[in-house]
Amino acid sequence: MIDVHHSVSPDEEPAGRRNRHRSDRDGGYGDPRGTAGHALRVDATGEIRTDFWGNVKPVHGYSWQHAVPGYPAPGEPPYSLIGSVTAGATFVSGRGWYEAGSWFPIVGTRDTGTPSTSPCLLYEAAGLVGGRFQVTINDNNLSDNGGAATVTVRQWW
C-alpha cells in the first residue's frame, strides 16, 4: 500500500468521528487503525487515470462493468475503490462476509449523476490483534495509473 496523507489531524477532530485520508498519485490508500468491532462507511470523490494514454474512470466504477480474473476483485467494477483487512473479517451490507486478504467493494457505483450510496461495513476481529483497513483501486496494473481521490472513512463504535 502507498503512504497515506492525512488531511485532518487527530488533534483537529474528535476521535471516532471521522478519519480522512487522501491518496497519492498512484491510487493507493491508507489504513485507519483500531477498527475491530466497528462500523465503517467510505465516501470518495475523484477520478483515476487508468493507463498512459489518458483514459479516466470515476473511483466509483460503473455497475455494468465487471473486472475479469486477474484483478484484485474480479466481478466488481474495474478501477473502482475496493477495500481489504489484514486480520479478522468484514461484513459488507448486501454482500456478506469477506475474510482477511479478500478485496470487497467499499463505494457505490456511478452510472449517471450522483454515485449510489456506499455500503455499510462491519469489521470484526474478535480475539485477534486488530488489523489494517486497506484501500486501493480494482486494477491489475497500478503502475500506469494517475490522478487522485479524496477518501473519507467514517467510523462508529
Side-chain angles (χ1 to χ4, degrees):
M1 295 285 92
I2 310 299
D3 289 337
V4 177
H5 304 282
H6 296 273
S7 57
V8 175
S9 78
D11 296 331
E12 294 171 348
E13 195 162 69
R17 286 271 181 99
R18 192 175 277 217
N19 295 317
R20 189 177 184 97
H21 301 275
R22 201 188 84 193
S23 77
D24 70 4
R25 65 177 179 78
D26 292 327
Y29 297 87
D31 58 332
R33 295 179 192 211
T35 57
H38 299 172
L40 304 172
R41 186 159 227 154
V42 179
D43 294 306
T45 59
E47 294 182 327
I48 300 299
R49 182 182 41 97
T50 62
D51 57 31
F52 293 121
W53 297 275
N55 290 309
V56 176
K57 304 283 184 188
V59 296
H60 292 86
Y62 297 108
S63 64
W64 67 84
Q65 293 180 327
H66 305 282
V68 298
Y71 279 69
E76 299 300 332
Y79 316 114
S80 64
L81 287 174
I82 54 175
S84 180
V85 294
T86 60
T90 303
F91 180 80
V92 179
S93 178
R95 298 296 189 99
W97 286 96
Y98 291 80
E99 295 297 322
S102 298
W103 292 97
F104 48 84
I106 60 169
V107 294
T109 56
R110 168 174 274 167
D111 295 330
T112 59
T114 305
S116 64
T117 304
S118 300
C120 184
L121 310 172
L122 176 62
Y123 175 58
E124 185 58 54
L128 300 173
V129 174
R132 297 176 112 184
F133 174 61
Q134 301 173 325
V135 179
T136 193
I137 301 295
N138 193 17
D139 189 354
N140 62 354
N141 182 12
L142 293 176
S143 67
D144 62 355
N145 289 6
T150 298
V151 177
T152 303
V153 177
R154 290 182 285 172
Q155 174 181 359
W156 293 269
W157 60 89

